[in-house]
């Protein structure tokens, strides 16, 4: 499996609601926090993680770590429905060890970036979108190259693998009011990764 793969409507509304219920429990165990870039700017999204490793960012840099930066506790486990998605679409032998959870409230976006803090780029990154539709932008592996825009709606799954594993990508904006899934509105993006060394 290679490149950028979009699976529109991969999760039906029942599966989406079940995931939101799981996420409500995760947010209690691992509260959302606002990360800071190494340069000191706050992100517009709030984040948390599940899995044995979680992605964090602060003045010291971007990294994966086993503990929540505020509570100091280990992250809660990855819901089994997400493990099943990974096994079906990314790797049936090696499970993901990290799931980054991003919450987009009013006006939140995500600048163009590469996901490159993982030990082995041979594993793809699988993303699940929930709630309001996002305008996703994806380009090539060189910053400043040609990009295209793709809408990610609630229940869509996309995968960056193979030649697109290090493609630049980001979220230009979220279309508020486009979904009723999340109470209070907004969008949640989950990205499953194999972050740690073998
Ligand atoms: C988002 N997604 O959808 C941001 N990363 O909110 C990502 O940054 C992303 O969609 C790696 C692979 C797929 C993604
Ligand atoms: Fe990313």
């Amino acid at each position: 499996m290679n490149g950028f793969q979009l699976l529109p409507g991969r999760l039906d509304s029942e599966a989406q609601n079940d995931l939101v219920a799981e996420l409500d429990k995760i947010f209690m165990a691992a509260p959302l926090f606002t990360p800071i870039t190494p340069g000191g700017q706050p992100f517009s999204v709030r984040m948390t993680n599940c899995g044995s490793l979680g992605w964090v960012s602060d003045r010291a840099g971007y990294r994966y770590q086993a503990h929540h930066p505020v509570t100091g506790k280990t992250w809660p486990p990855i819901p089994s429905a997400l493990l099943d998605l990974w096994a079906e679409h990314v790797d049936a032998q090696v499970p993901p060890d990290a799931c980054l959870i991003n919450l987009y409230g009013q006006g939140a976006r995500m600048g163009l970036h590469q996901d490159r803090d993982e030990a082995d780029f041979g594993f793809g990154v699988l993303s699940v979108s929930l709630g309001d539709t996002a305008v996703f932008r994806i380009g090539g592996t060189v910053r400043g190259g040609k990009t295209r825009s793709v809408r990610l709606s609630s229940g869509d799954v996309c995968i960056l693998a193979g030649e697109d594993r290090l493609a630049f990508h980001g979220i230009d904006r979220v279309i508020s009011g486009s979904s009723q899934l999340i109470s209070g509105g907004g969008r949640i993006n989950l990205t499953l990764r194999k972050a740690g060394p073998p």
Side-chain angles (χ1 to χ4, degrees):
M1 186 203 48
N2 235 326
F4 169 71
Q5 218 189 322
L6 175 62
L7 306 168
R10 174 63 183 77
L11 299 180
D12 63 18
S13 64
E14 185 184 356
Q16 294 173 43
N17 279 305
D18 289 350
L19 258 183
V20 169
E22 295 279 353
L23 288 168
D24 284 339
K25 291 187 269 177
I26 288 171
F27 295 149
M28 308 249 254
L32 290 158
F33 57 95
T34 300
I36 308 289
T37 66
Q41 294 299 120
F43 281 69
S44 61
V45 296
R46 290 189 295 154
M47 293 182 179
T48 189
N49 292 272
C50 53
S52 57
L53 290 172
W55 189 86
V56 300
S57 175
D58 58 22
R59 287 274 184 186
Y62 306 134
R63 64 192 175 278
Y64 285 95
Q65 64 179 40
H67 298 91
H68 190 288
V70 179
T71 68
K73 291 199 232 173
T74 57
W75 307 101
I78 298 175
S80 62
L82 295 174
L83 298 175
D84 292 348
L85 268 182
W86 173 279
E88 180 177 343
H89 297 291
V90 181
D91 194 303
Q93 269 78 48
V94 181
D97 54 12
C99 176
L100 172 61
I101 303 167
N102 288 153
L103 177 71
Y104 293 74
Q106 200 66 249
R109 53 185 297 283
M110 173 89 58
L112 282 178
H113 66 277
Q114 294 172 297
D115 283 38
R116 52 181 316 145
D117 300 317
E118 300 74 31
D120 182 352
F121 303 142
F123 291 96
V125 177
L126 183 149
S127 136
V128 178
S129 291
L130 295 170
D132 287 339
T133 299
V135 181
F136 179 73
R137 182 167 296 284
I138 181 163
T141 54
V142 178
R143 190 182 280 282
K146 188 173 176 289
T147 63
R148 66 187 166 115
S149 179
V150 177
R151 286 190 181 212
L152 298 179
S153 301
S154 196
D156 291 357
V157 166
C158 79
I159 298 160
L160 293 189
E163 61 184 16
D164 289 324
R165 172 62 181 77
L166 292 174
F168 278 91
H169 60 280
I171 298 292
D172 289 343
R173 63 194 174 89
V174 171
I175 303 169
S176 68
S178 51
S179 163
Q180 300 303 317
L181 182 74
I182 296 167
S183 58
R187 171 176 187 262
I188 296 173
N189 179 256
L190 310 169
T191 40
L192 290 165
R193 303 113 186 283
K194 168 69 182 132

